[in-house]
Every structure is written in C-alpha cells, then in structure tokens.
Amino acid sequence: DCASAYLKVKTTTRNRGIEYETNATYWIGASCAPRTALEAVALDIFRHHSRGVRFDASSSGAEWWTQVVDEELDIPFHWDRDYELQKEEGVCLHPHVASVTYLTGLGGAPTLVLPVASPVLAADLPAACAGRVRSASACHPAAGFHLSFDGRLLHGAPAALVDTA
C-alpha cells in the first residue's frame, strides 16, 4: 500500500560514500512479474509509455515511489534524476518520461510542470532556477488521473495552490 511504501531513507553513494537522505524508490524490470499491486501499476504505466518503442528489456523498466503528503505541505519543485550519479560525478541523468498518477482524489496540491529543463551538469542547477516562468502545466488530484512529461522538466506540487473549495 502507498503509505507503507512511502519511506524516508538515509543512504550513501557507492564509490565516495557521500551520505544523503531521499524517499525510498523501487524498481520493476520490463520483463519482471509484479509482486505487488503498486508494481503492477508501475509496470502498466511503463508498458503504456513504451508501446511501439524498441528498448532493451534487460536494462529497462520503471522506477517508482509513492507520495503520502498532508495537504498543507509542498512537494518542492525538483527534477527527477539519478541522485547518486549527481553526487558522485556532478552529472544530472533523467528518466526519458516522468509521470504522476493519482490513486485517490483525496485532495492536495496540483502537480505543476514548468518548461524548465535541467542542465546536464549539477553545478549549473542553481542558475537553471533563476528567471521568470511564463507558463506551466497543471494536473489537479483526482483518482485515476495520469500526467506524463519530459523527464528533464522541473515540477512540484505547491501547497499554496490546494483547492479549498
């Protein structure tokens, strides 16, 4: 279930032993059989987005995680990326497709996707966050809604936009 999969973990990078905290993430390989309902959802989403695309099933699949957040709290703006690679090598590697799937419609902030692509070098991340944002795409929480976007784009769910009506 989503609440039991939503964990904060402290970890260290493999090569340099750099410590950092992150949300627990999970992996389901493209040719694996799902063991849980959440793995089945992640694999269905992967298959939907990879339909008609050639890929190496032995090294492809879906990384997934859950968010169980109080309405009053933000999901800060961020880029999905390989945090270990960023910390170890200073390089930002992103998924080809990022997605958000709402399993319930219990409220919360909409997910905003900004047309701000992550730089390749981690040292350039602060500069990428400067300047005006002239547009955004929003997806409001509703059971079954699925949002997909370029995995290099900045996104978050600011609590200030929670619909209180």
Side-chain angles (χ1 to χ4, degrees):
D1 114 303
C2 292
S4 61
Y6 182 59
L7 303 171
K8 293 284 187 187
V9 295
K10 290 185 179 184
T11 189
T12 58
T13 60
R14 282 182 285 252
N15 296 327
R16 295 185 188 172
I18 301 168
E19 293 183 5
Y20 65 102
E21 185 173 295
T22 187
N23 293 337
T25 64
Y26 306 91
W27 175 261
I28 179 76
S31 57
C32 292
R35 296 169 295 169
T36 67
L38 291 172
E39 284 186 346
V41 169
L43 196 53
D44 284 349
I45 291 168
F46 172 82
R47 289 178 176 149
H48 170 77
H49 288 289
S50 63
R51 190 176 314 130
V53 176
R54 292 176 50 188
F55 60 88
D56 179 357
S58 69
S59 62
S60 298
E63 181 182 24
W64 63 273
W65 57 92
T66 63
Q67 295 280 356
V68 180
V69 180
D70 290 333
E71 275 188 12
E72 311 83 48
L73 299 177
D74 291 319
I75 295 177
F77 281 95
H78 63 282
W79 290 281
D80 292 345
R81 60 192 182 275
D82 183 329
Y83 290 99
E84 182 162 324
L85 183 64
Q86 176 187 334
K87 291 187 181 305
E88 291 273 337
E89 305 296 333
V91 174
C92 299
L93 180 67
H94 306 277
H96 182 70
V97 176
S99 66
V100 175
T101 303
Y102 294 98
L103 300 179
T104 69
L106 297 178
T111 298
L112 292 185
V113 180
L114 307 180
V116 179
S118 171
V120 173
L121 299 177
D124 296 335
L125 286 169
C129 294
R132 290 187 176 171
V133 175
R134 301 194 187 283
S135 66
S137 298
C139 182
H140 291 267
F145 275 25
H146 177 73
L147 168 69
S148 63
F149 51 95
D150 183 326
R152 299 171 299 163
L153 295 181
L154 187 64
H155 58 285
L161 299 180
V162 171
D163 183 5
T164 58

